[in-house]
Amino acid sequence: MKTKLMIPGIFSLLTLTSMNAQKKAHLDKTKPIETRVDLLMHEMTLEEKIGQMNQYNGFWDVTGPAPTGGSAELKYEHLRKGYVGSMLSVRGVKNVRAVQKIAVEETRLGIPLIIGFDVIHGYKTLSPIPLAEAASWDMDAIKKSAAVAADEASASGIAWTFGPMVDISRDARWGRVMEGAGEDPYLGSKVAEARVKGFQGDNFAGNNHIAACAKHFAAYGFAEAGRDYNTVDISNSTLYNIVLPPFEAAKNAGVRTFMNSFNILNGVPATGNVFLQRDILKGKWKFDGFVVSDWASVKEMVSHGYAKDGAEAAMKAVIAGSDMDMEAHLYVEELTKLVKEGKVDEKLIDDAVRRILRVKFELGLFDDPYKFCDEKREKEVIGSKANHDAVLDMAMKSIVLLKNEKQLLPLKKAGQKIALIGALANDKNSPLGSWRLGSDDNTAVSVLEGMQQYNGNVLTYEKGTDLTVGKTAFIDELKFNNTDTSGFEAAVKAAKTADVVVMVLGEHGFQSGEGRSRTNLDLPGNQQALLEALYQANPNIVLVLNNGRPLTIPWAAEHIPAIVEAWHLGTETGNAVAKVLYGDYNPSGKLPMSFPRNVGQVPIYYNNYNTGRPVDSDNNVFWSHYSDVEKTPQYAFGFGLSYTTFAYKDLQVAKSYAKGEPVKVSITVTNTGDYDGKEVVQLYIHDLAASLARPVKELKSFELVSLKKGESRSITFTLTDKELGFYDNDGKFIVEPGVFKVMVGGSSDKTIDSAFEIK
């Protein structure tokens, strides 16, 4: 009996010793990551594996006592058992250290959490919204902006950002256009690459870079009618040639995670879409990071009508390739049973967990779970002068000059009376924009504060009208239907005595972003009425727009002599706007989205297809147009002025090339104005006849050049198969012989043209 009793004891001891040895082995830094993942997974139970696929939002005061009762207590127990692989919205070194301590020191295997957060355009110190950054066309600046965001977020304990959003969208009604790079896949791909490299750096050896996440995979930006979360119904041509290229660029740049999207595609929700996640992302593209669902999107497949209940939703999501469940709780609740019933192959669980653990090892979390938990660094980095300087630079580069008649700009620095009008001019919160969860309210430099730094003029401020009129009961949202005109009189009086009126109008920072779709794109409230009233008092108006999306401003475009697109520029908004208005920075931004004349033109985009009746060749009504407005946009993609002027001449391209031979295109650009300046030289092509109709223009290259006044420079572009080809409807990339039109200029609608042939 004694012998029999001792055998299990010896066996248990040997098993425990073996497990401890293996646990030590996976912490051996000298071993390859894949070996370390193998060693760790060998120790894990099915429940612990599935736990790595479970992500919870912060659910209690982590520095306080453990929660009792309800879902918070259950989540806490899951955390202590090792059934949580990631948490989001936990930030600050003390808080992150507290939850990490539970995961590392109280669970059986001590697997560290990966802490995620929406670091969209900065953490505490905010850069411009991403759409504004894209207007800079300056990839070095955009990369630097993302690096600043990573620097501050990592100092706050965060290891992973849910950005960049690389969705292409042609519909300004969709509030999330503020979060992307606009309408063009080539520009969007360049921005995606820059932001991924800025967030992640060259590697994760230090503690100042974080894992990036390309989202939303895929086609979320094509939500019908611009209504958030809505159905998407697009062709394969649009999917392969417009939607997917920025995602592939992010993958090629080394992005470590993807997030799927809320929408359906071909009737299948993206979260449960095998074609997107297994066939393309993990198959064709060989992506070896992991995919996280969007918030509760696994559960939402039931609402879509694609799954009958939570268990079926979990099954379809994991089969499709969604590796981590964000806040639907279905993986941790359903997958163990599904595996044991044979409905989900455990190999799919292993694949997902391997991907998640791989990224955690790459981040160095196993080597030092607290690598992002340095309180001294947190105090030194967040809000540093260097970071403020960087976001100011980014903000100035993001501003687009749309109009400048009468040479109102730049403003004289002395001897003028300037009336500054508009509630947004004295607002320190709205300029921060949407998606600024890590920042503090009312920390932006207002335009008023920025202009007050220039004391050579007499500056008078009047609000004119409020933009907001209280809040609704629904998640404490601001209301924007103000009709009070009581402040008009004082504003008109100030305008009458001014040499120049600067009006700051537009959207509040919370009018764009997730869930903030609009059916009107005009100036909210009674701002338009204020603008017209002041124009009658003094037509010398500089209109400064604050907005997160293209707006419809046909009246202003016709009447107002100077218009500046200043977006939501983040922490240093007022300083950036003032430096541009006073000429200390010559604006060089170009629009990343077309501005419609009215909302009836939306969606509107430059890279459209010809119809069979593109022009009025027969002098009759039956051609592709509107009867009440021009079919062209108010301001085209790529458009943007400068305080100087640029001339284009001597477009040179050989007439014919052999297939596969690089095409060399050169052009001379001259600064013909009175100021030094920067110009974005843009190259477009049109494949005149192909097996699939091609857009009338496609951006294929650009170069940001600085030119002294009077300086000329020859710019050379090289077009390869990558630029000359396209995807067919099966996703195959093809390059076909034929004649190509090449167009070069400072905007998509202002180019000089030539042609060449691929034999």
Side-chain angles (χ1 to χ4, degrees), residues 171-175 224-227 507 511 516-522 549-550 552 596 598-602:
D171 196 332
R173 294 172 297 181
W174 189 51
E224 286 187 354
R227 179 159 53 87
E507 295 182 311
Q511 278 186 281
R516 292 168 173 86
S517 299
R518 294 180 62 194
T519 59
N520 287 315
L521 299 175
D522 52 4
R549 50 156 64 87
T552 54
N598 61 48
V599 76
Q601 289 184 310
V602 176

Side-chain angles (χ1 to χ4, degrees), residues 40 45 84 168 228 310 318 400 554 611 613 722-723 727 737:
L40 178 55
T45 65
V84 181
I168 298 300
D228 212 349
V318 75
V400 183
T611 69
R613 299 177 179 181
K722 183 178 180 182
E723 289 77 36
Y727 290 94

Side-chain angles (χ1 to χ4, degrees), residues 7-230:
I7 292 172
I10 293 170
F11 179 78
S12 298
L13 181 61
L14 291 173
T15 302
L16 182 60
T17 302
S18 174
M19 287 179 63
N20 287 336
Q22 288 185 22
K23 185 175 180 182
K24 258 184 200 178
H26 84 258
L27 293 178
D28 184 350
K29 299 179 186 180
T30 65
K31 287 183 168 62
I33 284 178
E34 296 306 310
T35 301
R36 298 173 74 182
V37 171
D38 285 337
L39 290 166
L40 178 55
M41 288 186 65
H42 185 70
E43 299 179 51
M44 299 172 73
T45 65
L46 175 61
E47 290 79 7
E48 287 168 334
K49 290 176 184 177
I50 292 169
Q52 288 300 300
M53 302 166 67
N54 178 36
Q55 183 184 61
Y56 284 146
N57 189 38
F59 52 88
W60 95 103
D61 179 1
V62 298
T63 59
T68 56
S71 63
E73 183 176 7
L74 177 62
K75 287 182 176 181
Y76 184 76
E77 286 305 308
H78 284 173
L79 181 62
R80 293 185 69 248
K81 288 181 178 179
Y83 295 173
V84 181
S86 173
M87 291 186 70
L88 71 155
S89 301
V90 179
R91 60 190 177 94
V93 165
K94 288 184 178 179
N95 292 327
V96 171
R97 181 178 287 275
V99 295
Q100 196 70 284
K101 186 174 187 294
I102 295 171
V104 173
E105 300 181 26
E106 297 185 29
T107 65
R108 187 179 77 91
L109 295 176
I111 301 174
L113 299 166
I114 180 171
I115 304 295
F117 195 71
D118 285 292
V119 186
I120 304 304
H121 57 107
Y123 179 68
K124 186 78 72 174
T125 309
L126 296 180
S127 277
I129 59 172
L131 185 64
E133 289 193 349
S136 73
W137 296 54
D138 187 329
M139 299 307 115
D140 289 337
I142 293 171
K143 180 180 176 182
K144 174 66 174 177
S145 172
V148 168
D151 193 39
E152 290 200 349
S154 62
S156 187
I158 295 160
W160 177 26
T161 175
F162 304 125
M165 190 191 91
V166 301
D167 295 299
I168 298 300
S169 184
R170 299 161 165 175
D171 196 332
R173 294 172 297 181
W174 189 51
R176 296 194 83 165
V177 297
M178 58 75 56
E179 202 178 335
E183 71 189 48
D184 181 71
Y186 183 86
L187 177 61
S189 295
K190 294 296 183 184
V191 172
E193 178 185 7
R195 299 200 76 210
V196 167
K197 290 183 176 179
F199 283 131
Q200 296 191 167
D202 296 328
N203 55 58
F204 301 115
N207 62 354
N208 62 336
H209 287 100
I210 58 181
C213 181
K215 65 182 188 184
H216 305 83
F217 198 65
Y220 185 32
F222 280 75
E224 286 187 354
R227 179 159 53 87
D228 212 349
Y229 319 120
N230 203 10

